[in-house]
């Protein structure tokens, strides 16, 4: 499923997720499927993730991933620099980091 979406999506420059399936509205999903769910029908059932798959993956990521405080500080400073001192200002969303 991930390769399906990575090949059919585009990211927006503003970080809003517009153009990507996860951040899009029902009318703008990958594959051109609107509210009728045609994008999901184009993905075979064995490739779809269930809610349980997503919940399990999230729990595993939380359990295994640790970000050291110095990395968080570095990213915070970079974000501040890009927003306040860089011309033109650049907004970097949490998702993009």
């Amino acid at each position: 499923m991930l390769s399906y979406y990575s090949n059919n999506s585009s990211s927006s420059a503003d970080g809003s997720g517009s153009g990507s399936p996860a951040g899009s509205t029902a009318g703008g999903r990958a594959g051109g499927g609107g509210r009728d769910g045609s994008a999901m029908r184009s993905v075979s059932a064995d490739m779809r993730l269930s809610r349980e798959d997503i919940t399990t993956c999230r729990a595993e990521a939380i359990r295994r991933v640790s970000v050291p405080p110095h990395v968080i500080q570095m990213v915070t400073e970079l974000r501040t620099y890009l927003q306040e001192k860089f011309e033109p200002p650049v907004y970097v969303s949490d998702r993009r980091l």
Side-chain angles (χ1 to χ4, degrees):
M1 180 166 160
L2 297 177
S3 62
Y4 171 83
Y5 283 115
S6 66
N7 291 334
N8 289 303
S9 66
S10 61
S11 297
S12 66
D14 66 358
S16 67
S18 174
S20 69
S24 63
T25 61
R29 294 190 196 273
R35 293 184 184 273
D36 65 357
S38 58
M40 284 301 293
R41 283 194 299 272
S42 67
V43 178
S44 64
D46 61 323
M47 295 290 290
R48 296 181 193 152
L49 294 174
S50 68
R51 287 191 187 272
E52 182 181 353
D53 293 333
I54 294 168
T55 301
T56 302
C57 183
R58 182 178 188 272
E60 257 324 278
I62 289 170
R63 186 175 72 81
R64 292 181 182 222
V65 176
S66 174
V67 180
H70 72 276
V71 172
I72 293 171
Q73 182 63 39
M74 179 186 67
V75 169
T76 300
E77 291 171 3
L78 175 62
R79 177 187 267 162
T80 300
Y81 174 79
L82 290 172
Q83 289 177 353
E84 296 176 4
K85 301 193 182 351
F86 194 76
E87 287 297 326
V90 176
Y91 174 73
V92 181
S93 71
D94 289 336
R95 287 182 1 184
R96 301 285 179 208
L97 299 176

